Amino acid sequence: MLSLTIIFFITLLSFGFGILGALLGIGGGIFIVPVLTIYFDIPIRYAIGASIISVIATSSGAAAAYVRDRITNLRIAMFLEVGTTTGAITGAFLAGIVSNKILYIIFAAIMLYSAFMMFHRRNQELPQHETGHPWAEHLKLNDAYYDKVLQRKVEYKTQGVPQGLGLMYIAGIISGLLGIGNGAFKVMAMDTAMQLPMKVSTATSNFMIGVTAAASAGVYFARGDINPEITAPVAIGVLLGSTVGCKIMDRIKSSTLRKIFIPILLFIAVEMFMKGLGAQ
Amino acid sequence: MRTSDEQNYKQAKTDSRPFSIEKFISISLRIGVVICLVLLLIGLFMLIVGEQRQLTYSNNLIDIWHSLIQGEGYAIIDLGLLVLILTPVFRVAASIVLFGHERDYFYSFITTFVLCILIISFLLGKIG
């Protein structure tokens, strides 16, 4: 049985990850797994089990508010899920054929590149496009939300629909092969290829990661990797944190969100690069 | 100015229709999350105040059910986590019906496709 102090600190840290996850559309596995294993001495399989649950908690905790406020674009999420889920299955079949070492390094390079692209557009508040991609019209992917900071309705026209779908397929393959949630990659694809407002990108990514994580959670559950006394404080912390994250989203600008995202991308790039060097 | 603008927009976007996909998904997610939170808090509380027994938690549904009847903290946590895991699955399944209700059959089809792939990958047990 974990001590009360440890349970308290795990909850507190998870609260922070929940805020980040809700704001940035990432699952937070990249932070939770190392923190649990290094600082709390928790076995890696329980740490991964808890991180899978934390992805679902971030997603479902934030989605109630984001879907209601239409910051999450349900149609874009569903359409892109076609890419991520089929990609994940492809990835599962590619396991053993592609070297994980090379994959980690390619992934690190993509994250580095997208950090650079985001830095380039760091002061851009909203994308300006008169028309969307022809597919966007047919698929009803152009929409609007009310931005509480700008105090106006923000209409957006979705660009690069096939590119976005293709990138999601790649994101799915990487998820299937490396067992990572890949929220950062999804945000990058929506931000760079589809040119959605940053808030729409992170909220929609946040919505999507829960669906994929739920599919794998069943497996971890059956395997006994989900330890209740570790996972409960993580889930409680993340659920409460993601609710607070939604409130913060209402108060910050898209450009600020992007500035928070850049160092996270760099951190992931370094982390993945190190894994690439270490992986067999 | 600001509030009237916001109100107008909200009215136009959500409140004018008695029922919308967004509203339904948002409310059902909130219910799922609250149920999960309550179960986790009760379970964790029982684990903390309960006697320090060897933690022999199990992962098949029948065992969890038996432990639930005995009021074991970890089983209540497991139940809470199951509710949490099911929220995204429910959200996808509900979207199929909701898009159909809005006569958006293309998206009903897309969502059905995603649900099928999710089930297949769940059975394969290999999704990331």
Side-chain angles (χ1 to χ4, degrees):
Chain A
M1 185 69 205
L2 296 172
S3 77
L4 213 55
T5 330
I6 291 183
I7 291 179
F8 174 76
F9 277 110
I10 292 181
T11 313
L12 196 69
L13 274 167
S14 305
F15 182 78
F17 297 142
I19 294 180
L20 267 186
L23 282 176
L24 303 178
I26 57 176
I30 192 115
F31 304 115
I32 289 180
V33 176
V35 164
L36 288 182
T37 50
I38 296 167
Y39 297 108
F40 295 99
D41 225 9
I42 285 165
I44 181 89
R45 57 186 279 241
Y46 293 150
I48 293 176
S51 88
I52 292 282
I53 294 294
S54 95
V55 175
I56 306 174
T58 311
S59 179
S60 291
Y66 290 160
V67 170
R68 181 199 59 215
D69 295 344
R70 290 182 156 251
I71 305 176
T72 298
N73 186 319
L74 285 181
R75 285 189 168 81
I76 290 182
M78 272 311 151
F79 179 71
L80 295 180
E81 279 289 341
V82 172
T84 52
T85 50
T86 46
I89 285 206
T90 315
F93 284 110
L94 286 178
I97 300 172
V98 189
S99 142
N100 276 11
K101 185 176 194 152
I102 295 170
L103 260 173
Y104 274 122
I105 290 172
I106 293 176
F107 187 65
I110 297 173
M111 289 295 109
L112 196 65
Y113 173 75
S114 44
F116 178 76
M117 293 299 287
M118 282 215 180
F119 183 76
H120 193 65
R121 291 188 291 128
R122 65 192 175 282
N123 292 322
Q124 183 201 65
E125 180 58 26
L126 292 169
Q128 307 290 340
H129 294 285
E130 291 298 313
T131 54
H133 188 276
W135 290 21
E137 204 63 52
H138 290 292
L139 295 167
K140 294 184 244 176
L141 301 181
N142 302 327
D143 207 344
Y145 71 97
Y146 183 85
D147 195 307
K148 289 181 185 164
V149 177
L150 303 176
Q151 299 188 7
R152 68 176 173 91
K153 180 175 160 183
V154 172
E155 290 191 49
Y156 55 88
K157 305 281 186 194
T158 307
Q159 309 296 308
V161 178
Q163 291 91 321
L165 187 63
L167 281 170
M168 288 301 164
Y169 182 68
I170 295 171
I173 292 180
I174 297 176
S175 300
L177 281 171
L178 302 182
I180 50 178
N182 236 342
F185 194 105
K186 293 184 178 113
V187 174
M188 182 276 288
M190 281 184 268
D191 186 65
T192 311
M194 303 175 82
Q195 306 260 313
L196 298 170
M198 189 65 184
K199 287 185 179 181
V200 176
S201 300
T202 62
T204 306
S205 164
N206 182 286
F207 189 80
M208 292 171 68
I209 53 177
V211 177
T212 2
S216 48
V219 179
Y220 287 88
F221 207 87
R223 233 195 268 154
D225 289 356
I226 293 175
N227 181 328
E229 60 168 335
I230 297 164
T231 315
V234 169
I236 292 169
V238 169
L239 280 173
L240 296 176
S242 61
T243 318
V244 173
C246 294
K247 303 263 186 259
I248 299 176
M249 178 82 113
D250 287 343
R251 288 181 174 77
I252 63 174
K253 296 171 86 175
S254 286
S255 46
T256 314
L257 208 55
R258 188 174 274 126
K259 280 168 196 149
I260 305 172
F261 203 80
I262 296 168
I264 303 281
L265 280 175
L266 289 174
F267 176 80
I268 296 174
V270 172
E271 187 85 5
M272 290 295 135
F273 187 73
M274 302 298 277
K275 276 200 172 175
L277 293 184
Q280 60 281 57
Chain B
M1 177 64 197
R2 178 204 168 181
T3 43
S4 75
D5 215 30
E6 189 171 350
Q7 272 166 4
N8 282 343
Y9 177 65
K10 279 198 168 157
Q11 241 159 20
K13 273 299 187 186
T14 51
D15 291 351
S16 63
R17 280 178 299 174
F19 179 86
S20 77
I21 299 184
E22 282 79 11
K23 237 185 211 171
F24 182 86
I25 291 188
S26 171
I27 292 170
S28 53
L29 278 178
R30 185 142 287 161
I31 294 170
V33 164
V34 169
I35 292 174
C36 163
L37 254 181
V38 170
L39 288 170
L40 291 181
L41 286 170
I42 294 173
L44 193 62
F45 179 75
M46 287 174 66
L47 269 193
I48 292 169
V49 299
E51 55 212 80
Q52 300 281 21
R53 69 171 70 204
Q54 187 65 34
L55 200 69
T56 52
Y57 63 92
S58 51
N59 305 284
N60 76 60
L61 293 178
I62 298 157
D63 286 354
I64 292 175
W65 177 247
H66 282 302
S67 322
L68 257 185
I69 295 172
Q70 290 164 10
E72 304 249 13
Y74 68 82
I76 297 174
I77 293 177
D78 273 346
L79 187 70
L81 294 176
L82 277 177
V83 171
L84 185 64
I85 293 172
L86 286 177
T87 49
V89 182
F90 172 80
R91 172 214 298 175
V92 174
S95 303
I96 298 175
V97 182
L98 293 167
F99 281 125
H101 180 84
E102 290 205 346
R103 299 185 190 284
D104 199 338
Y105 300 116
F106 177 71
Y107 274 94
S108 275
F109 169 75
I110 280 193
T111 314
T112 311
F113 177 80
V114 169
L115 187 66
C116 290
I117 300 274
L118 281 178
I119 292 168
I120 293 170
S121 54
F122 181 76
L123 296 175
L124 285 174
K126 276 183 166 177
I127 197 165

